[in-house]
Amino acid sequence: MIKLRMIKQSLVCSLMVAFFSLCFQGAILAQPELPKDPNWLVDGEISQHVPGWNEGFIKCKPPYGGYNELTEHQKILNSWGYKARPIEEIKNLLPEPHYDIMSHPEIWGTFRVNETAWEPVKPRGPMWERFMAQTKKNIGTCYLDKKGWLRNYRYGIPFPELKEDDPQIALKLVWNYFKRYKDNDRLVPMDITTRDRAGYERHNLMLNHRLQMNGRVRPDEVTEEGLYKPNPKNLDFIYATPYVAPYNLRGTIPLYYRYDDPDKEDDMWIYIPSMRRVRRMSTAQHQDRLPGGLDWTWDNTEGFEGHVTRFNWTYLGRKELLIPVIGHSHTYYNPKAPLDANDQYYQRRNCYVIKATYKEPINMKEMILYLDPLLYNACYSVDTDLKGRTWIVQSMLEARNKNWFAGFYNGWAFDVQRRHATRALFAYHGSVDFRVENLAMDNLKKVYLAR
Amino acid sequence: MRMKRKSILWLIAVFLGFMSFVGIASQAEAFVFMDGDLKINGYIENQTAIRMEDQARDRGNDSGELSRCRTTMVLEAGLDLSESVKFNTILRGYYDAAWDLDSGIIQKPKEEKWDSAPNGIGMKEEFEVREYHFRKYWGNAVVKVGQQQIVWGESDLLRMSDIINPLDISHRIFLEDFENIRIPVRAIDFTYEFPGPKRFTVELVAIPEDFRTTRIASPGANWDPLAYRLPLTLSDPFLRAMEKDLNRIEDLGVENFQGGIRLKALFGEWDTSAFFFHKRAENAVAVSDEAVLNGMLPYIGPLVEAGAFSTIATLFEQNVDNIVDFEWPWTQTVGATFNVPEHYTGSIIRFESSFTFDQPFTVDYHISGMVDMLDDLLDYSYPQKVEFRLPDVDYRASDVLAFMIGFDRPTFIKFLNPKQTFFISGQLFQKYILDADDNWQTGLGKDGYDDHQVLATLIMSTEYLDGSITPQVAMMYDFTAESGLFWPKVTYIFNDQLHLEIGAVWIFADSGLSGDLGPFEKNDEAYVKLRYQF
């Protein structure tokens, strides 16, 4: 009788524990929520400091299809940085220049790295399964031609099987990076902010439009087995970035074509409102900094955006790092200091490290990319000047929508030599089912009220 | 001296006033209404310039005096009426305090309330609705209706294909952004792009009744192109005579219909276009009324013998509109443009050409002795030199071929700027008047009588201090006229709202008759431009 009673009590107790565990999973198992720096502004709060933010074209929104509940509320295993454990503990889990930045909050601002487990949040769902199924088919199908250009590719990761002794491993990795898991297109309303050593900031509100002509995972009426049809110009991707503010740039619309051809240079046109006409621009100087004092060059936006044939590629090995590869979809901004994405989720991943060395260096010598071993995102990159000194240090922080497609809500690029910063605040990141016609100059002029 | 001190104080006050904005500037933004469907942007700007040399033939505006102190406010509104219908308007008002601040400069434009000419807007102050137009989109088509600017072509600084809107060069010749000095016209602009990779596009432009001409500064103002040729007492009646004839043309209404077509296509890497445009000449040609001249001659002889030259001058001033008539004949222009990347040099090559049928020109009176006699007579009649060439009883017309080839190239010049390229843009222009004679007032060459022009431009700019400082230098040299322009400037960006530009313009020419730049030769200036935008 007593035994039965004990069994009943144990059962009730177990059920209660299970019930409370399920109901208050975050509260019980995660670390107690750590205090935020009052300077960290999130989403709509940023409009207090950034004119034009969260209104008109630059409205804060959840990712395409709504928030991914799994990735939005992750169980934090450990935190380092602001009001948490000392950042020194994870020195070996960060690239050295990134560690230097994070360990100097008096210069770059307060910051916290929140480690979460990979397994509970790793990619899944029908789009991911479709992508991975194609990835398997790519084994032995995709190849690099004599010029190192990717051939016979539709979608998926082109080279999922990599051997460290393969002389082309670095080149294959950069192609895996380019063809990483992402949606067919994207619209990203954003504020690109520059900040100098004295704390003076300038803001550029713009909308990044991008259309992939291959690597299209999500089926739609213009996609045939991962390829956009028709594609008579043999384009790889198109992007356009109309400016909304400030006034002198409002209505300026750069339009950029990258061709799926190793011998064909990119094309760029800009509609310039003060001229009232479209001006064709030379794309010859990829190592030039972007105008307006940004800390990106044409080649290193989002980590790397260059033409693979202009570089020699070196494989530097593997390194376990904490990377923000599956984060939440909220924008952070600190008006007092340059670092953004101040309270993101990080996962421990055994990253590939590759180096791109310019064949003809003019302004920059090398770029080092740290790639996730499955998603191939470059959450970290480090670029060096002509003397080999660390120059531009970047981080792109990846959120995930319900399909686990990548989305940006924050990113930064710091010129560590001059303590000059560029940060990107993204109000939204997601598909709007663009077609080629949507990215035609006349259509962009129509939408963005250019003169 | 007192006025100069006052000017400097005014400058300081304006500057401090703007600087006081800096504190609140970072909070300024566009005004957004109706959930973002209506946006209002704009700017307030002050341009203050000091002359660096005396006006041509010492007409009255001297070195060290104010060239302008012009405060401009521009409001630009964009309204989304629906997904496919948009409305835009640009309002502009300005006040040039130069005449109020500096009593040393010629006061006539203020006292007489002279406008730019012909039929222009106020030199001292004005408010205008510059542009207002609706746009409607259907698939690949767009139509734009209203007062607007329509821009064709590939060239900077000088225009060949950009011929739809005339320019208002009264304020600062062509040294402003063209969008601020093009004269908007009431027009219908229809564009259709055919689906396909070659992006075949057809554009039809109709200007049903709105004829506008090039506008120049009023007599006595800075940048007055007639200052070299005519004294104030003569240039004013001269322009009034022109306006009288222009009124007659403007009253013709739909008989002034102007229009054209442009075809565009992309062939491989070649962005090409071809166009045709039918319009009235935007610069007047002058003709003499022979009957009036013959009627006056019997009176002039005795006056000359009596030495009554001031009476002759008065007689001439009172009868300019009888002696000289102005016309804006019809012209037809065809042309072609292209741009293409040139991979070896990493440049963009731009090309623009035009062939104008029957471009009209004023020619000297057919009896050269008569021209010389009148020239001498005017010299005697006016204490200040007059450079007036009596026009013939009819104008002449010739076909004119013009073309431009240019390049744009971002280029690293590491010892000048280690981290950022220089944007270098060069252009070579050539113009040939195919049937010109020696007595045609072509405005080309050293004396304004050549039949061709060779001219080059070079613009270089870069960024320093993370885009805060943007120096630029623009140069122009007219090989035929041996005249040129040198225009360095530096822009400093305080923040997103407040920009400061400091620059100077030097123009050199053999005389006020030399090519396009000669008439503006004696207007060198140093300037400060401060803009607050929102």
Side-chain angles (χ1 to χ4, degrees):
Chain A
M1 194 65 183
I2 293 169
K3 201 175 175 184
L4 190 65
R5 207 172 133 195
M6 280 180 69
I7 291 169
K8 272 184 188 169
Q9 278 179 348
S10 303
L11 199 63
V12 169
C13 198
S14 302
L15 283 169
M16 282 175 70
V17 167
F19 175 75
F20 279 104
S21 298
L22 285 170
C23 290
F24 303 102
Q25 188 180 12
I28 290 178
L29 298 179
Q31 284 208 330
E33 192 171 326
L34 293 167
K36 290 185 172 16
D37 184 330
N39 290 315
W40 295 350
L41 304 179
V42 185
D43 295 339
E45 297 168 357
I46 296 167
S47 61
Q48 299 163 26
H49 284 269
V50 180
W53 180 262
N54 202 24
E55 61 187 42
F57 290 116
I58 317 292
K59 201 89 180 161
C60 293
K61 284 194 293 188
Y64 181 75
Y67 288 113
N68 179 334
E69 292 304 322
L70 269 184
T71 58
E72 286 303 307
H73 306 289
Q74 298 181 38
K75 185 177 73 174
I76 296 172
L77 303 175
N78 240 321
S79 294
W80 295 270
Y82 183 75
K83 302 285 185 190
R85 300 166 71 94
I87 201 91
E88 289 77 11
E89 288 182 8
I90 53 169
K91 183 175 182 180
N92 292 328
L93 293 171
L94 296 168
E96 191 180 335
H98 293 75
Y99 169 75
D100 286 344
I101 287 168
M102 292 177 198
S103 59
H104 287 96
E106 75 284 3
I107 298 172
W108 302 105
T110 53
F111 198 76
R112 191 155 58 212
V113 172
N114 301 301
E115 184 182 2
T116 65
W118 167 260
E119 283 298 323
V121 294
K122 70 181 184 184
R124 64 199 69 178
M127 287 303 117
W128 175 254
E129 284 162 16
R130 186 177 154 77
F131 182 80
M132 290 310 288
Q134 179 64 29
T135 296
K136 279 182 191 162
K137 289 184 199 166
N138 289 341
I139 298 169
T141 310
C142 293
Y143 66 95
L144 298 177
D145 68 11
K146 285 179 185 172
K147 292 176 177 169
W149 201 257
L150 177 63
R151 297 296 183 189
N152 218 16
Y153 174 75
R154 291 182 170 277
Y155 67 104
I157 293 295
F159 302 108
E161 289 188 341
L162 296 161
K163 292 179 183 165
E164 296 208 335
D165 57 353
D166 181 351
Q168 287 193 306
I169 183 173
L171 194 54
K172 287 176 176 173
L173 278 163
V174 79
W175 278 113
N176 286 354
Y177 160 80
F178 265 125
K179 305 303 177 187
R180 62 194 182 273
Y181 182 61
K182 54 182 176 277
D183 209 343
N184 299 350
D185 63 284
R186 74 181 191 206
L187 175 69
V188 189
M190 57 191 181
D191 174 31
I192 302 295
T193 303
T194 58
R195 185 184 177 97
D196 68 13
R197 186 187 282 251
Y200 287 111
E201 285 195 351
R202 297 203 329 246
H203 298 269
N204 297 286
L205 300 181
M206 58 183 86
L207 292 101
N208 179 260
H209 304 56
R210 190 171 173 126
L211 176 64
Q212 296 295 135
M213 304 301 281
N214 55 47
R216 298 171 66 88
V217 189
R218 193 157 49 81
D220 58 29
E221 74 275 13
V222 292
T223 303
E224 285 180 26
E225 294 188 56
L227 304 179
Y228 189 103
K229 294 285 177 76
N231 181 12
K233 288 182 184 298
N234 194 25
L235 290 163
D236 189 13
F237 61 81
I238 306 172
Y239 75 77
T241 312
Y243 282 72
V244 178
Y247 175 73
N248 59 313
L249 293 174
R250 191 179 78 88
T252 302
I253 306 173
L255 174 63
Y256 206 94
Y257 281 4
R258 168 71 55 85
Y259 297 92
D260 187 10
D261 183 341
D263 300 319
K264 198 163 165 60
E265 288 288 343
D266 301 342
D267 269 322
M268 180 165 67
W269 297 265
I270 297 184
Y271 177 75
I272 302 171
S274 62
M275 296 173 81
R276 306 276 180 115
R277 67 173 194 236
V278 177
R279 185 85 176 242
R280 193 162 189 164
M281 305 300 287
S282 169
T283 57
Q285 297 291 1
H286 306 264
Q287 298 174 54
D288 196 10
R289 283 176 67 183
L290 295 182
L294 304 189
D295 294 293
W296 286 302
T297 65
W298 294 99
D299 274 345
N300 74 356
T301 50
E302 297 182 29
F304 181 75
E305 192 80 295
H307 219 278
V308 295
T309 57
R310 287 196 294 268
F311 299 85
N312 293 315
W313 293 93
T314 311
Y315 177 64
L316 298 179
R318 308 283 296 256
K319 182 170 174 58
E320 188 176 56
L321 296 171
L322 277 168
I323 61 172
V325 70
I326 297 188
H328 59 65
S329 306
H330 296 282
T331 316
Y332 275 63
Y333 170 74
N334 181 349
K336 306 281 186 194
L339 268 172
D340 60 19
N342 311 76
D343 205 12
Q344 257 295 5
Y345 298 130
Y346 287 66
Q347 293 79 38
R348 205 174 285 238
R349 306 285 289 153
N350 190 19
C351 296
Y352 289 106
V353 188
I354 57 172
K355 183 172 74 177
T357 306
Y358 275 102
K359 290 175 180 171
E360 293 176 22
I362 302 171
N363 206 25
M364 190 174 270
K365 188 178 177 188
E366 293 168 344
M367 301 177 186
I368 296 169
L369 305 175
Y370 299 85
L371 305 179
D372 181 86
L374 183 67
L375 290 162
Y376 294 97
N377 299 77
C379 292
Y380 301 133
S381 66
V382 177
D383 310 327
T384 64
D385 65 10
L386 290 177
K387 292 178 180 169
R389 298 172 302 187
T390 301
W391 177 23
I392 304 294
V393 179
Q394 281 197 67
S395 185
M396 293 303 293
L397 299 101
E398 305 265 353
R400 298 285 153 182
N401 70 12
K402 283 184 170 173
N403 283 320
W404 264 262
F405 286 132
F408 301 132
Y409 279 80
N410 275 124
W412 47 263
F414 295 165
D415 178 342
V416 293
Q417 294 178 6
R418 300 184 54 250
R419 289 193 193 169
H420 187 268
T422 299
R423 57 179 151 179
L425 315 177
F426 305 104
Y428 167 77
H429 186 130
S431 168
V432 283
D433 290 321
F434 281 135
R435 300 291 176 259
V436 169
E437 306 81 70
N438 299 121
L439 273 71
M441 188 61 90
D442 283 339
N443 187 67
L444 294 163
K445 283 162 66 180
K446 164 186 156 185
V447 176
Y448 297 103
L449 273 177
R451 272 162 267 168
Chain B
M1 190 65 187
R2 201 172 133 206
M3 284 314 296
K4 279 181 193 166
R5 206 175 297 135
K6 199 174 162 188
S7 306
I8 291 164
L9 284 173
W10 169 258
L11 270 178
I12 293 168
V14 167
F15 185 73
L16 290 175
F18 266 103
M19 288 306 291
S20 68
F21 268 116
V22 177
I24 58 167
S26 59
Q27 298 304 312
E29 57 188 287
F31 297 101
V32 179
F33 305 97
M34 298 162 64
D35 200 25
D37 284 342
L38 172 63
K39 295 184 199 71
I40 299 176
N41 293 79
Y43 63 85
I44 303 169
E45 176 187 279
N46 177 268
Q47 282 193 38
T48 299
I50 304 289
R51 295 187 68 90
M52 296 199 294
E53 60 184 343
D54 295 346
Q55 202 172 16
R57 300 192 192 280
D58 295 323
R59 299 289 193 202
N61 296 331
D62 297 329
S63 175
E65 291 177 335
L66 275 177
S67 181
R68 66 183 169 282
C69 181
R70 181 167 156 137
T71 302
T72 306
M73 181 164 186
V74 169
L75 285 178
E76 183 177 346
L79 174 63
D80 287 2
L81 294 166
S82 73
E83 186 76 8
S84 65
V85 182
K86 321 275 181 183
F87 174 74
N88 283 60
T89 186
I90 297 178
L91 316 177
R92 182 170 74 179
Y94 58 83
Y95 161 63
D96 194 331
W99 288 281
D100 290 334
L101 292 171
D102 193 343
S103 59
I105 61 174
I106 298 169
Q107 293 293 310
K108 283 276 188 183
K110 173 191 168 189
E111 290 166 356
E112 307 288 334
K113 293 190 167 49
W114 280 344
D115 293 339
S116 54
N119 288 356
I121 54 176
M123 292 300 298
K124 182 174 170 239
E125 60 211 351
E126 186 67 74
F127 171 80
E128 56 177 338
V129 182
R130 262 178 73 71
E131 292 183 61
Y132 52 89
H133 51 80
F134 290 89
R135 286 179 289 160
K136 166 71 182 165
Y137 295 85
W138 304 267
N140 295 335
V142 55
V143 65
K144 198 169 158 188
V145 180
Q147 187 155 299
Q148 58 186 296
Q149 297 183 35
I150 301 166
V151 184
W152 293 352
E154 296 282 341
S155 65
D156 299 330
L157 290 173
L158 296 176
R159 313 185 311 156
M160 284 174 197
S161 312
D162 181 12
I163 55 174
I164 299 172
N165 300 85
L167 294 184
D168 183 340
I169 56 172
S170 63
H171 156 54
R172 205 179 161 215
I173 56 172
F174 52 83
L175 304 176
E176 284 286 316
D177 286 340
F178 274 9
E179 81 158 344
N180 293 331
I181 59 171
R182 278 194 204 94
I183 301 170
V185 292
R186 293 183 291 274
I188 302 163
D189 182 10
F190 173 82
T191 307
Y192 181 81
E193 183 176 329
F194 294 87
K198 298 202 184 307
R199 293 184 359 217
F200 284 112
T201 304
V202 59
E203 182 177 5
L204 299 166
V205 173
I207 308 171
E209 44 72 49
D210 192 12
F211 172 61
R212 315 277 180 113
T213 69
T214 304
R215 285 183 198 149
I216 58 171
S218 77
N222 292 288
W223 299 105
D224 170 13
L226 299 178
Y228 180 83
R229 289 170 174 266
L230 303 173
L232 206 55
T233 49
L234 198 49
S235 55
D236 180 49
F238 195 81
L239 290 172
R240 300 308 145 224
M242 186 185 285
E243 289 184 342
K244 195 172 156 187
D245 291 329
L246 180 59
N247 290 339
R248 180 175 47 81
I249 300 287
E250 286 179 346
D251 288 344
L252 293 174
V254 291
E255 287 180 45
N256 285 326
F257 180 91
Q258 303 173 95
I261 182 171
R262 179 169 69 152
L263 305 172
K264 289 173 69 184
L266 183 64
F267 297 106
E269 293 187 312
W270 296 67
D271 255 329
T272 61
S273 81
F275 68 91
F276 164 79
F277 206 79
H278 165 75
K279 67 176 293 190
R280 283 188 183 276
E282 55 190 35
N283 297 322
V285 284
V287 293
S288 293
D289 189 322
E290 198 159 32
V292 175
L293 270 180
N294 289 336
M296 283 177 67
L297 285 174
Y299 295 98
I300 291 175
L303 290 170
V304 171
E305 282 175 18
F309 291 109
S310 61
T311 311
I312 296 173
T314 307
L315 186 70
F316 195 73
E317 285 159 19
Q318 289 172 346
N319 286 284
V320 166
D321 64 333
N322 295 319
I323 300 167
V324 184
D325 292 326
F326 295 91
E327 297 182 32
W328 290 266
W330 291 99
T331 63
Q332 271 63 236
T333 302
V334 295
T337 71
F338 71 76
N339 66 62
V340 63
E342 200 292 300
H343 298 295
Y344 184 74
T345 58
S347 308
I348 297 293
I349 304 296
R350 294 181 283 119
F351 176 83
E352 181 168 330
S353 65
S354 68
F355 189 88
T356 303
F357 298 94
D358 296 331
Q359 174 81 41
F361 294 93
T362 302
V363 297
D364 289 350
Y365 196 70
H366 56 276
I367 304 169
S368 58
M370 179 83 168
V371 176
D372 295 337
M373 190 190 77
L374 184 70
D375 208 18
D376 293 342
L377 191 60
L378 288 169
D379 281 346
Y380 280 115
S381 303
Y382 287 89
Q384 288 182 304
K385 178 82 176 163
V386 177
E387 194 77 48
F388 176 75
R389 308 292 284 181
L390 185 69
D392 204 354
V393 294
D394 206 355
Y395 66 87
R396 306 287 191 280
S398 169
D399 297 341
V400 175
L401 171 68
F403 56 89
M404 177 283 296
I405 188 154
F407 72 92
D408 299 333
R409 187 180 195 277
T411 305
F412 276 107
I413 306 176
K414 299 289 275 189
F415 68 97
L416 289 176
N417 192 345
K419 295 291 185 194
Q420 197 118 20
T421 57
F422 282 75
F423 179 74
I424 302 175
S425 176
Q427 302 177 115
L428 180 68
F429 292 84
Q430 299 210 51
K431 184 192 277 188
Y432 294 93
I433 302 166
L434 301 182
D435 302 313
D437 280 337
D438 291 345
N439 63 340
W440 288 30
Q441 298 177 15
T442 60
L444 305 182
K446 283 178 86 167
D447 301 317
Y449 284 90
D450 271 7
D451 63 356
H452 72 283
Q453 181 185 47
V454 180
L455 187 149
T457 68
L458 183 67
I459 299 173
M460 293 174 68
S461 65
T462 189
E463 289 184 353
Y464 291 101
L465 279 182
D466 304 304
S468 296
I469 296 179
T470 308
Q472 178 180 302
V473 60
M475 292 172 274
M476 178 186 285
Y477 187 72
D478 183 335
F479 294 92
T480 322
E482 296 179 16
S483 59
L485 173 145
F486 181 63
W487 178 22
K489 66 177 183 180
V490 179
T491 306
Y492 180 73
I493 299 175
F494 288 98
N495 55 35
D496 293 330
Q497 284 74 38
L498 196 65
H499 299 184
L500 171 72
E501 181 182 314
I502 298 173
V505 179
W506 285 274
I507 296 174
F508 54 93
D510 214 39
S511 77
L513 304 174
S514 302
D516 295 320
L517 293 167
F520 306 105
E521 182 214 351
K522 296 290 185 183
N523 284 284
D524 294 354
E525 64 173 33
Y527 69 92
V528 177
K529 184 160 90 175
L530 202 53
R531 176 181 285 196
Y532 171 77
Q533 61 183 23
F534 54 89

